[in-house]
Amino acid sequence: MIATLMSGLCVCVLFGHFWSRFNWQGAITALVVSLLVSLAIIVTPNWLAFWSNPIMPATLASALCAAIVTLITPMQKHTSAQALAILQAQREEMQHD
């Protein structure tokens, strides 16, 4: 279960922390690919016998697919500081309503 749930989350945390270009499309891809790879290995006896635990192939496939999807999607239009300012303005507007 750890491989199924945490391998994609690990990729999201690492990419999100160290790669400023990483985006939400890459994060969703990382989570979905790790889930699918883990489940495919768990339900295929030969693969499960070979890998014994799907965490490594799930993490590697997740990282590869997340990187590809991030690179083929458009870059973010706003910097982190601009996005934070937009969120702050929206929060203030909601509090005044």
Side-chain angles (χ1 to χ4, degrees):
M1 185 154 119
I2 296 288
T4 304
L5 299 174
M6 299 301 285
S7 55
L9 187 58
C10 175
V11 170
C12 290
V13 168
L14 291 174
F15 279 10
H17 184 71
F18 293 109
W19 190 19
S20 61
R21 181 154 177 5
F22 191 58
N23 55 22
W24 67 270
Q25 294 96 334
I28 297 296
T29 301
L31 295 171
V32 170
V33 167
S34 68
L35 173 70
L36 295 176
V37 170
S38 293
L39 291 176
I41 290 173
I42 289 169
V43 300
T44 307
N46 292 338
W47 292 357
L48 188 59
F50 179 77
W51 290 106
S52 81
N53 188 338
I55 196 161
M56 288 306 295
T59 304
L60 293 174
S62 175
L64 178 66
C65 292
I68 291 170
V69 167
T70 297
L71 290 173
I72 64 173
T73 54
M75 288 185 71
Q76 298 177 19
K77 295 178 183 176
H78 303 290
T79 65
S80 296
Q82 290 171 330
L84 186 59
I86 291 169
L87 284 173
Q88 184 63 32
Q90 290 174 345
R91 286 181 186 148
E92 290 174 2
E93 183 179 316
M94 289 173 59
Q95 289 177 350
H96 294 311
D97 289 342

